[in-house]
Amino acid sequence: MSLTDIPFVSTMPDIVKVREIVKSGNPLDWETVWQAKLTPWDAGESQPPLREVIESGGIHFPRQGRVLVPGCGPGYDVFYLASALNMDVLGLDVSETAITKAKSLMSSFGNSGTGKVSFISEDFFHHKREEQFDLIYDYGFFIVIPPTRRTEWAQQMASLIKPQGYLITLVFPIDPPTDLGPPFFVRVEHYEEVLDGSFKKVLDKVPTTSLPSHVGKERIVVWERI
């Protein structure tokens, strides 16, 4: 498959249907999306760039503590992080149906390490910190919130991550600019604009391995909480 064969994410038929459902901007509309099984982002596995950045050894991520995955969906990345880092990982999604699916997969995926996995249905912006996290991973969440809420997203990230903790962002889809969304097209600069002052960028690269539909459309970027 060549890059010219990969369609823009904003024009994929299921994405168009999703956009029609969530156009009101109400986060609870995502429950309708999951009930309708309109989940073209469900790859059935953790994201290859996440595995690459964790396993490369280039960054010494913590091996104990707490991890958060907002917009976790079925939880593939949650299971992976718990296994790879031996940390306690919380998957959060506004959709009860998504969380129910994630919980149903716990016996299948589980984890081979000592980290614990848990899931709750909650709006990320309403999550109250009881204890800060050592690591947060964002794939597919930043790109579905209205761009007007990105500053609020960054403020919540800064509140939830410990000093010297990490934020891993899978920047996708790097499609041509368009007003269509969600998902909204993104650039690394969109993250920089709202994270500057609270985080410093410590890694920014094109992954060597991507899902076929992501090739040429993503970067893996790691930020350290100042």
Side-chain angles (χ1 to χ4, degrees), residues 7-69:
F8 299 148
V9 173
S10 61
T11 63
M12 294 178 178
D14 279 355
I15 291 295
V16 174
K17 294 176 183 178
V18 168
R19 190 178 301 121
E20 183 64 24
I21 294 173
V22 303
K23 64 183 180 182
S24 73
N26 184 343
L28 296 180
D29 289 338
W30 289 99
E31 172 62 12
T32 303
V33 169
W34 277 92
Q35 288 180 357
K37 299 182 179 180
L38 289 171
T39 56
W41 52 82
D42 187 345
E45 63 175 313
S46 60
Q47 289 294 316
L50 173 64
R51 300 196 298 267
E52 179 181 324
V53 77
I54 294 294
E55 296 169 20
S56 68
I59 297 176
H60 297 293
F61 292 108
R63 290 299 193 271
Q64 61 181 6
R66 303 173 70 237
V67 180
L68 174 68
V69 181

Side-chain angles (χ1 to χ4, degrees), residues 64-68 87-88 127-136 155-165 199 225-226:
Q64 61 181 6
R66 303 173 70 237
V67 180
L68 174 68
M87 297 173 73
D88 295 343
H127 185 71
K128 303 297 184 184
R129 89 179 197 204
E130 297 177 359
E131 182 181 346
Q132 288 180 300
F133 293 91
D134 300 274
L135 172 67
I136 296 183
Q155 291 170 343
Q156 180 72 328
M157 288 295 184
S159 172
L160 293 174
I161 298 175
K162 294 178 179 179
Q164 285 76 58
F199 292 84
R225 181 74 169 94
I226 297 172

